[in-house]
Amino acid sequence: MTVDVTLLRHFVAVAEQLHFARAAQSLGISRPALSSSVKALEAELGAELFDRSAERTTLSATGQQLLAESGPLIEAEELRLAEIAATMALPGTLSVAFVPGVTVGKWTLAWESRHPGIALRVRPVDEEDSVAVLRDGIADVSFVRLPVKDHGLGVIPLYQETAVVVVSKDHPIALFDSVTLADLADEKIVRKPPIVSDAVELVAAGVGVVLLPQSIARLHARKDVVARPVTDAPQTGIAIVWIEDDLTAEMEEFIGIVRGRTAASSRSGSPLSEAAGSDTDRAVGSGSSSSSPSSEKSGAAKSGQAKSAAGAAKKPKARQVKHSRGALQARNRKRGGGR
């Protein structure tokens, strides 16, 4: 449930005291303002929170339920606000968030080597919070799994992740090096589970199979399951994002490191102040993925190598895939009673 926490606090004050005037006094607001807050919360929830037919203030059934659930909601909001305040109070700090499966060590080490006076605050976040931490001021930049829908973001795609299917160790798919989506046609597939560990637990029990980005599958590796590449499944992309209007010289410098700018490519003097004037960083600030001619040449070479490697990984052996399909189809016919 998502509600305005200020309205929720006002409701709790009335619900605990069952008296609007006393609750308003304890909150330091007027009684009409408190009544407006309660009405706004009722409109947001689509239900009355107090029994207005009673002679005195009493909670409705919905109000009683909301009061029981209010504590954790208010506590979570207070923790969020405290975290924002703590982040804002840290001088000379750059905050970096990343989703599960992304390894940021090489970039943070490069930053610490070049800018030891500016501390990095690195924090893992769930995928659904990877952009919210930017909006809330908890992080300056965030490594996300694409796509992201929010407007006003600078986005630079970094790399693609191969999709894998996770199956139990004794599943027929475990015998092969890779499979296709056609090989999974008769499988019970969980494509984007809300809790990955629970999905892998079901897979281990033989309930079904799950499609995951390769890095997520590695995070949840265990002895009773195996992961196999799905050669024709859509890949997922990893990108670094930031709020365009909040771009700072420190953020530009970190983004430049992520894009591959070396220490030698920064001019002498103050790297952060110089970074703001470079052509490459101006492109980053505008959300463009363009770069200097030399970096384009290097990037093209790397891209060509990556595409070649990806092509080699995706191209399955014909005999292997044919054998895989035959075995799986035979297994499925047996399971379906000769179908």
Side-chain angles (χ1 to χ4, degrees):
M1 178 174 58
T2 301
V3 297
D4 186 320
V5 177
T6 299
L7 300 182
L8 195 58
R9 289 194 181 100
H10 291 180
F11 158 74
V12 169
V14 179
E16 289 179 341
Q17 300 190 47
L18 295 178
H19 197 284
F20 273 82
R22 287 197 296 267
Q25 185 177 7
S26 68
L27 292 168
I29 62 175
S30 67
R31 190 187 188 288
L34 180 57
S35 296
S36 296
S37 290
V38 171
K39 289 179 181 179
L41 183 57
E42 289 177 327
E44 189 172 333
L45 297 175
E48 289 191 351
L49 300 174
F50 295 94
D51 185 358
R52 287 172 171 75
S53 64
E55 294 182 0
R56 60 187 182 87
T57 302
T58 58
L59 285 166
S60 67
T62 302
Q64 293 174 3
Q65 181 181 355
L66 181 60
L67 180 60
E69 298 173 352
S70 294
L73 292 173
I74 293 174
E75 183 180 357
E77 176 66 4
E78 289 174 345
L79 287 173
R80 187 183 71 84
L81 294 175
E83 189 170 31
I84 293 173
T87 300
M88 298 293 288
L90 291 173
T93 299
L94 184 68
S95 298
V96 178
F98 64 94
V99 295
V102 175
T103 303
V104 298
K106 63 180 179 181
W107 299 311
T108 60
L109 287 174
W111 176 271
E112 291 167 0
S113 173
R114 299 180 205 181
H115 308 292
I118 304 178
L120 275 185
R121 191 166 184 256
V122 183
R123 53 171 294 131
V125 294
D126 294 332
E127 285 190 33
E128 58 267 27
D129 297 326
S130 60
V131 172
V133 292
L134 300 176
R135 303 290 184 199
D136 291 341
I138 296 174
D140 298 308
V141 297
S142 182
F143 291 90
V144 305
R145 190 164 277 107
L146 295 173
V148 289
K149 298 179 180 178
D150 294 67
H151 299 292
L153 294 178
V155 181
I156 296 180
L158 299 175
Y159 59 88
Q160 295 285 318
E161 287 189 283
T162 299
V164 299
V165 61
V166 180
V167 301
S168 62
K169 192 174 182 180
D170 57 355
H171 193 286
I173 288 176
L175 298 174
F176 308 105
D177 294 332
S178 64
V179 293
T180 66
L181 289 174
D183 296 328
L184 306 177
D186 293 324
E187 302 293 339
K188 181 180 179 181
I189 301 177
V190 181
R191 294 182 183 272
K192 194 173 182 181
I195 302 178
V196 176
S197 58
D198 289 351
V200 174
E201 186 73 36
L202 292 173
V203 167
V207 175
V209 303
V210 62
L211 283 176
L212 296 171
Q214 191 170 44
S215 63
I216 300 297
R218 285 173 180 161
L219 283 179
H220 295 274
R222 41 190 285 176
K223 294 181 179 180
D224 50 0
V225 299
V226 297
R228 295 292 181 258
V230 184
T231 57
D232 56 349
Q235 294 183 322
T236 56
I238 298 297
I240 184 171
V241 303
W242 66 96
I243 296 178
E244 288 185 318
D245 291 342
D246 295 345
L247 186 64
T248 65
E250 290 83 0
M251 292 162 62
E252 284 188 276
E253 179 72 2
F254 184 79
I255 293 166
I257 289 174
V258 172
R259 298 187 70 189
R261 187 175 63 205
T262 64
S265 65
S266 296
R267 290 177 280 216
S268 59
S270 173
L272 292 178
S273 62
E274 294 289 345
S278 71
D279 292 338
T280 298
D281 287 339
R282 279 197 294 272
V284 172
S286 65
S288 168
S289 59
S290 62
S291 57
S292 64
S294 60
S295 63
E296 284 180 358
K297 183 176 180 181
S298 174
K302 291 181 179 179
S303 175
Q305 294 171 2
K307 288 181 179 178
S308 297
K314 285 185 177 181
K315 189 175 181 180
K317 295 179 180 179
R319 186 179 64 179
Q320 170 193 309
V321 172
K322 183 177 180 181
H323 182 45
S324 170
R325 289 180 179 171
L328 290 174
Q329 290 169 357
R331 189 279 312 268
N332 290 331
R333 285 196 298 272
K334 183 177 180 181
R335 177 189 293 174
R339 175 170 53 89

